[in-house]
Amino acid sequence: QQPVQSPQAVILREGEDAVINCSSSKALYSVHWYRQKHGEAPIFLMILLKGGEQKGHDKISASFNEKKQQSSLYLTASQLSYSGTYFCGTGPLSGAQKLVFGQGTRLTINP
Amino acid sequence: DVKVTQSSRYLVKRTGEKVFLECVQDMDHENMFWYRQDPGLGLRLIYFSYDVKMKEKGDIPEGYSVSREKKERFSLILESASTNQTSMYLCASSLLGGGHSPLHFGNGTRLTVT
């Protein structure tokens, strides 16, 4: 079952902050975040593993709450280059090797 | 840098044709995946492979099959193409399975079935 992302779309001005959420109905081992620009391949941003960790680089960070089976991606002081569609991918606690992706969140940053 | 190459960027096929989508990765990754991307539905897993000649069904395998005869190559086969298989197809590879390492995606093949 696909994780659910919210919001589906968000429009910001350059310099504003954004939060994208990813919720799963299943117990999770890992959460991945990817960004895809129009016409391009999705690009890996970060992985968070079971243990409730938080990660970040530059002005993009993420948290993983395994009890709530949720992850959030935080983009602070957004830049024009942050525009694109963001996908979370969830890896189950056990069983199959596969990663299941959410439906995506389209982020538009305007000058 | 990992490179995942999909043989065609755009493909137009007729209903009923047998279609082959090819994917090659150059980093000796064990795991390879085929996803389908449709607006509003995100990326849905069709099939994946964790070793040569090994394959497992994803969430939407109906109407598709796969082949992995060599480690670097993973092919998606549409046995008899139908219009509802018009979509963007993305191939990916990863070093480890189970979500333990990043997926590296190809640029995609946009398939139109008329």
Side-chain angles (χ1 to χ4, degrees):
Chain A
Q1 196 168 1
Q2 284 186 286
V4 176
Q5 289 184 231
S6 62
Q8 289 188 0
V10 58
I11 301 173
L12 298 174
R13 288 200 175 276
E14 201 173 3
E16 292 182 333
D17 300 340
V19 180
I20 300 171
N21 300 302
C22 175
S23 294
S24 174
S25 58
K26 293 185 174 181
L28 300 175
Y29 176 81
S30 65
V31 178
H32 293 216
W33 286 97
Y34 294 80
R35 176 172 61 214
Q36 184 181 32
K37 292 187 179 287
H38 184 68
E40 298 180 10
I43 299 297
F44 169 76
L45 294 176
M46 63 187 79
I47 291 176
L48 299 101
L49 299 178
K50 181 175 175 302
E53 64 172 339
Q54 195 150 350
K55 267 193 177 179
H57 56 87
D58 200 10
K59 292 172 184 164
I60 301 176
S61 62
S63 63
F64 177 21
N65 186 324
E66 63 193 87
K67 275 190 179 176
K68 292 186 178 179
Q69 294 164 193
Q70 288 178 351
S71 177
S72 295
L73 185 72
Y74 307 94
L75 300 100
T76 57
S78 56
Q79 305 167 15
L80 294 176
S81 62
Y82 289 1
S83 290
T85 300
Y86 289 77
F87 293 98
C88 69
T90 55
L93 201 57
S94 63
Q97 306 266 338
K98 63 184 185 181
L99 202 63
V100 181
F101 284 90
Q103 79 279 24
T105 296
R106 178 173 287 188
L107 176 65
T108 303
I109 310 293
N110 292 320
Chain B
D1 251 5
V2 177
K3 193 162 184 182
V4 178
T5 304
Q6 293 183 231
S7 55
S8 304
R9 192 89 162 108
Y10 299 95
L11 216 50
V12 180
K13 295 291 181 181
R14 292 194 179 275
T15 301
E17 277 193 83
K18 191 168 186 175
V19 181
F20 292 86
L21 302 183
E22 306 286 348
C23 175
V24 177
Q25 51 96 1
D26 67 357
M27 280 301 289
D28 205 35
H29 282 177
E30 302 288 339
N31 303 276
M32 295 188 75
F33 307 83
W34 275 105
Y35 286 91
R36 172 177 170 159
Q37 184 172 22
D38 299 289
L41 297 178
L43 301 161
R44 292 180 294 165
L45 183 65
I46 305 172
Y47 267 97
F48 67 100
S49 168
Y50 50 90
D51 202 351
V52 175
K53 296 191 187 295
M54 306 302 287
K55 61 187 179 186
E56 282 203 29
K57 293 179 181 179
D59 298 316
I60 52 165
E62 297 79 18
Y64 304 95
S65 62
V66 290
S67 172
R68 192 158 180 211
E69 297 296 319
K70 293 185 177 181
K71 193 174 187 179
E72 67 270 18
R73 187 179 294 270
F74 192 34
S75 303
L76 180 69
I77 304 155
L78 287 68
E79 298 291 343
S80 177
S82 64
T83 54
N84 63 11
Q85 292 178 309
T86 291
S87 187
M88 172 67 85
Y89 290 87
L90 289 166
C91 175
S93 72
S94 71
L95 181 62
L96 304 172
H100 293 209
S101 64
L103 266 61
H104 299 267
F105 286 89
N107 282 328
T109 296
R110 184 164 293 281
L111 173 67
T112 302
V113 183
T114 62

